[in-house]
PDB file of all heavy atoms in Angstrom:
ATOM      1  N   LEU W1499      21.144 -15.841   9.560  1.00 96.00           N
ATOM      2  CA  LEU W1499      21.449 -17.124   9.022  1.00 96.00           C
ATOM      3  C   LEU W1499      21.875 -18.104  10.103  1.00 96.00           C
ATOM      4  O   LEU W1499      21.442 -19.261  10.229  1.00 96.00           O
ATOM      5  CB  LEU W1499      22.454 -17.129   7.894  1.00 96.00           C
ATOM      6  CG  LEU W1499      21.960 -16.541   6.562  1.00 96.00           C
ATOM      7  CD1 LEU W1499      23.099 -16.176   5.665  1.00 96.00           C
ATOM      8  CD2 LEU W1499      21.046 -17.571   5.905  1.00 96.00           C
ATOM      9  N   ASN W1502      18.885 -18.891  12.291  1.00 94.00           N
ATOM     10  CA  ASN W1502      17.954 -19.823  11.635  1.00 94.00           C
ATOM     11  C   ASN W1502      18.571 -21.249  11.712  1.00 94.00           C
ATOM     12  O   ASN W1502      17.808 -22.232  11.889  1.00 94.00           O
ATOM     13  CB  ASN W1502      17.781 -19.433  10.186  1.00 94.00           C
ATOM     14  CG  ASN W1502      16.740 -20.227   9.465  1.00 94.00           C
ATOM     15  OD1 ASN W1502      15.614 -20.432  10.023  1.00 94.00           O
ATOM     16  ND2 ASN W1502      17.064 -20.674   8.266  1.00 94.00           N
ATOM     17  N   ASP W1503      19.867 -21.403  11.404  1.00 92.00           N
ATOM     18  CA  ASP W1503      20.518 -22.630  11.495  1.00 92.00           C
ATOM     19  C   ASP W1503      20.504 -23.332  12.799  1.00 92.00           C
ATOM     20  O   ASP W1503      20.281 -24.523  12.889  1.00 92.00           O
ATOM     21  CB  ASP W1503      21.993 -22.497  10.979  1.00 92.00           C
ATOM     22  CG  ASP W1503      22.625 -23.800  10.840  1.00 92.00           C
ATOM     23  OD1 ASP W1503      22.104 -24.685  10.113  1.00 92.00           O
ATOM     24  OD2 ASP W1503      23.735 -24.000  11.437  1.00 92.00           O
ATOM     25  N   ASP W1508      14.494 -23.229   9.129  1.00 90.00           N
ATOM     26  CA  ASP W1508      13.412 -22.902   8.295  1.00 90.00           C
ATOM     27  C   ASP W1508      14.018 -22.662   6.755  1.00 90.00           C
ATOM     28  O   ASP W1508      14.712 -21.685   6.581  1.00 90.00           O
ATOM     29  CB  ASP W1508      12.734 -21.635   8.717  1.00 90.00           C
ATOM     30  CG  ASP W1508      11.462 -21.291   7.923  1.00 90.00           C
ATOM     31  OD1 ASP W1508      11.523 -21.348   6.663  1.00 90.00           O
ATOM     32  OD2 ASP W1508      10.420 -20.974   8.470  1.00 90.00           O
ATOM     33  N   ALA W1509      13.800 -23.593   5.887  1.00 89.00           N
ATOM     34  CA  ALA W1509      14.370 -23.567   4.545  1.00 89.00           C
ATOM     35  C   ALA W1509      13.940 -22.314   3.797  1.00 89.00           C
ATOM     36  O   ALA W1509      14.713 -21.713   3.122  1.00 89.00           O
ATOM     37  CB  ALA W1509      14.054 -24.813   3.736  1.00 89.00           C
ATOM     38  N   SER W1510      12.627 -22.014   3.879  1.00 91.00           N
ATOM     39  CA  SER W1510      12.134 -20.772   3.132  1.00 91.00           C
ATOM     40  C   SER W1510      12.772 -19.521   3.661  1.00 91.00           C
ATOM     41  O   SER W1510      13.147 -18.661   2.875  1.00 91.00           O
ATOM     42  CB  SER W1510      10.645 -20.670   3.352  1.00 91.00           C
ATOM     43  OG  SER W1510       9.982 -21.771   2.719  1.00 91.00           O
ATOM     44  N   MET W1511      13.019 -19.413   4.986  1.00 93.00           N
ATOM     45  CA  MET W1511      13.658 -18.226   5.537  1.00 93.00           C
ATOM     46  C   MET W1511      15.125 -18.210   5.078  1.00 93.00           C
ATOM     47  O   MET W1511      15.577 -17.082   4.774  1.00 93.00           O
ATOM     48  CB  MET W1511      13.526 -18.319   7.083  1.00 93.00           C
ATOM     49  CG  MET W1511      14.273 -17.116   7.776  1.00 93.00           C
ATOM     50  SD  MET W1511      13.735 -15.439   7.228  1.00 93.00           S
ATOM     51  CE  MET W1511      12.188 -15.401   8.218  1.00 93.00           C
ATOM     52  N   GLU W1512      15.758 -19.312   5.058  1.00 94.00           N
ATOM     53  CA  GLU W1512      17.163 -19.352   4.625  1.00 94.00           C
ATOM     54  C   GLU W1512      17.299 -18.829   3.169  1.00 94.00           C
ATOM     55  O   GLU W1512      18.226 -18.010   2.892  1.00 94.00           O
ATOM     56  CB  GLU W1512      17.774 -20.786   4.748  1.00 94.00           C
ATOM     57  CG  GLU W1512      19.155 -20.902   4.386  1.00 94.00           C
ATOM     58  CD  GLU W1512      19.821 -22.195   4.595  1.00 94.00           C
ATOM     59  OE1 GLU W1512      19.015 -23.168   4.707  1.00 94.00           O
ATOM     60  OE2 GLU W1512      21.012 -22.292   4.699  1.00 94.00           O
ATOM     61  N   ILE W1513      16.386 -19.288   2.357  1.00 94.00           N
ATOM     62  CA  ILE W1513      16.459 -18.784   0.944  1.00 94.00           C
ATOM     63  C   ILE W1513      16.179 -17.350   0.928  1.00 94.00           C
ATOM     64  O   ILE W1513      16.820 -16.541   0.137  1.00 94.00           O
ATOM     65  CB  ILE W1513      15.440 -19.556   0.072  1.00 94.00           C
ATOM     66  CG1 ILE W1513      15.831 -21.051  -0.074  1.00 94.00           C
ATOM     67  CG2 ILE W1513      15.257 -19.005  -1.341  1.00 94.00           C
ATOM     68  CD1 ILE W1513      14.726 -21.976  -0.646  1.00 94.00           C
ATOM     69  N   SER W1514      15.162 -16.825   1.602  1.00 94.00           N
ATOM     70  CA  SER W1514      14.809 -15.386   1.634  1.00 94.00           C
ATOM     71  C   SER W1514      16.007 -14.559   2.117  1.00 94.00           C
ATOM     72  O   SER W1514      16.362 -13.541   1.553  1.00 94.00           O
ATOM     73  CB  SER W1514      13.671 -15.207   2.548  1.00 94.00           C
ATOM     74  OG  SER W1514      13.330 -13.770   2.639  1.00 94.00           O
ATOM     75  N   LEU W1515      16.678 -15.061   3.156  1.00 96.00           N
ATOM     76  CA  LEU W1515      17.910 -14.356   3.707  1.00 96.00           C
ATOM     77  C   LEU W1515      18.980 -14.317   2.677  1.00 96.00           C
ATOM     78  O   LEU W1515      19.668 -13.260   2.535  1.00 96.00           O
ATOM     79  CB  LEU W1515      18.337 -14.926   4.923  1.00 96.00           C
ATOM     80  CG  LEU W1515      17.392 -14.861   6.235  1.00 96.00           C
ATOM     81  CD1 LEU W1515      17.809 -15.657   7.328  1.00 96.00           C
ATOM     82  CD2 LEU W1515      17.383 -13.351   6.705  1.00 96.00           C
ATOM     83  N   LEU W1516      19.200 -15.482   2.004  1.00 96.00           N
ATOM     84  CA  LEU W1516      20.306 -15.492   0.979  1.00 96.00           C
ATOM     85  C   LEU W1516      19.967 -14.546  -0.191  1.00 96.00           C
ATOM     86  O   LEU W1516      20.864 -13.940  -0.781  1.00 96.00           O
ATOM     87  CB  LEU W1516      20.516 -16.913   0.530  1.00 96.00           C
ATOM     88  CG  LEU W1516      21.146 -17.816   1.543  1.00 96.00           C
ATOM     89  CD1 LEU W1516      21.055 -19.315   1.148  1.00 96.00           C
ATOM     90  CD2 LEU W1516      22.630 -17.494   1.792  1.00 96.00           C
ATOM     91  N   GLN W1517      18.688 -14.519  -0.585  1.00 95.00           N
ATOM     92  CA  GLN W1517      18.300 -13.636  -1.690  1.00 95.00           C
ATOM     93  C   GLN W1517      18.449 -12.149  -1.257  1.00 95.00           C
ATOM     94  O   GLN W1517      18.901 -11.318  -2.063  1.00 95.00           O
ATOM     95  CB  GLN W1517      16.836 -13.898  -2.070  1.00 95.00           C
ATOM     96  CG  GLN W1517      16.664 -15.149  -2.855  1.00 95.00           C
ATOM     97  CD  GLN W1517      15.159 -15.512  -3.068  1.00 95.00           C
ATOM     98  OE1 GLN W1517      14.324 -15.330  -2.236  1.00 95.00           O
ATOM     99  NE2 GLN W1517      14.873 -16.050  -4.245  1.00 95.00           N
ATOM    100  N   LEU W1535      27.866 -18.612  -0.062  1.00 96.00           N
ATOM    101  CA  LEU W1535      26.855 -18.934   0.904  1.00 96.00           C
ATOM    102  C   LEU W1535      25.729 -19.787   0.258  1.00 96.00           C
ATOM    103  O   LEU W1535      25.212 -20.766   1.014  1.00 96.00           O
ATOM    104  CB  LEU W1535      26.228 -17.608   1.530  1.00 96.00           C
ATOM    105  CG  LEU W1535      27.147 -16.851   2.431  1.00 96.00           C
ATOM    106  CD1 LEU W1535      26.454 -15.447   2.705  1.00 96.00           C
ATOM    107  CD2 LEU W1535      27.346 -17.585   3.754  1.00 96.00           C
ATOM    108  N   GLN W1538      26.990 -23.317  -0.045  1.00 94.00           N
ATOM    109  CA  GLN W1538      27.009 -24.043   1.186  1.00 94.00           C
ATOM    110  C   GLN W1538      25.663 -24.470   1.579  1.00 94.00           C
ATOM    111  O   GLN W1538      25.407 -25.566   2.106  1.00 94.00           O
ATOM    112  CB  GLN W1538      27.620 -23.107   2.282  1.00 94.00           C
ATOM    113  CG  GLN W1538      29.111 -22.825   2.197  1.00 94.00           C
ATOM    114  CD  GLN W1538      29.607 -21.785   3.106  1.00 94.00           C
ATOM    115  OE1 GLN W1538      28.806 -21.055   3.757  1.00 94.00           O
ATOM    116  NE2 GLN W1538      30.876 -21.600   3.209  1.00 94.00           N
ATOM    117  N   ALA W1539      24.631 -23.569   1.306  1.00 93.00           N
ATOM    118  CA  ALA W1539      23.237 -23.958   1.597  1.00 93.00           C
ATOM    119  C   ALA W1539      22.778 -25.156   0.788  1.00 93.00           C
ATOM    120  O   ALA W1539      22.053 -25.999   1.276  1.00 93.00           O
ATOM    121  CB  ALA W1539      22.378 -22.752   1.380  1.00 93.00           C
ATOM    122  N   SER W1542      23.999 -28.276   2.137  1.00 87.00           N
ATOM    123  CA  SER W1542      23.174 -28.782   3.288  1.00 87.00           C
ATOM    124  C   SER W1542      21.801 -29.382   2.801  1.00 87.00           C
ATOM    125  O   SER W1542      21.431 -30.399   3.379  1.00 87.00           O
ATOM    126  CB  SER W1542      22.834 -27.575   4.182  1.00 87.00           C
ATOM    127  OG  SER W1542      23.984 -27.040   4.768  1.00 87.00           O
ATOM    128  N   PHE W1543      21.276 -28.839   1.745  1.00 85.00           N
ATOM    129  CA  PHE W1543      20.039 -29.286   1.210  1.00 85.00           C
ATOM    130  C   PHE W1543      20.200 -30.705   0.688  1.00 85.00           C
ATOM    131  O   PHE W1543      19.241 -31.525   0.797  1.00 85.00           O
ATOM    132  CB  PHE W1543      19.504 -28.432   0.032  1.00 85.00           C
ATOM    133  CG  PHE W1543      18.501 -27.319   0.492  1.00 85.00           C
ATOM    134  CD1 PHE W1543      18.935 -26.249   1.231  1.00 85.00           C
ATOM    135  CD2 PHE W1543      17.176 -27.442   0.209  1.00 85.00           C
ATOM    136  CE1 PHE W1543      18.045 -25.289   1.641  1.00 85.00           C
ATOM    137  CE2 PHE W1543      16.212 -26.467   0.595  1.00 85.00           C
ATOM    138  CZ  PHE W1543      16.676 -25.410   1.302  1.00 85.00           C
ATOM    139  N   LEU W1560      16.264 -22.395  -4.434  1.00 94.00           N
ATOM    140  CA  LEU W1560      17.611 -21.958  -4.162  1.00 94.00           C
ATOM    141  C   LEU W1560      18.456 -22.022  -5.322  1.00 94.00           C
ATOM    142  O   LEU W1560      19.419 -21.203  -5.519  1.00 94.00           O
ATOM    143  CB  LEU W1560      18.161 -22.824  -2.999  1.00 94.00           C
ATOM    144  CG  LEU W1560      19.434 -22.420  -2.396  1.00 94.00           C
ATOM    145  CD1 LEU W1560      19.517 -21.009  -1.911  1.00 94.00           C
ATOM    146  CD2 LEU W1560      19.799 -23.336  -1.195  1.00 94.00           C
TER     147      LEU W1560
END
Side-chain angles (χ1 to χ4, degrees):
L1499 284 164
N1502 187 48
D1503 186 53
D1508 185 315
S1510 294
M1511 176 58 78
E1512 183 172 19
I1513 294 168
S1514 177
L1515 290 168
L1516 289 168
Q1517 287 173 323
L1535 287 171
Q1538 288 171 351
S1542 298
F1543 266 73
L1560 187 49

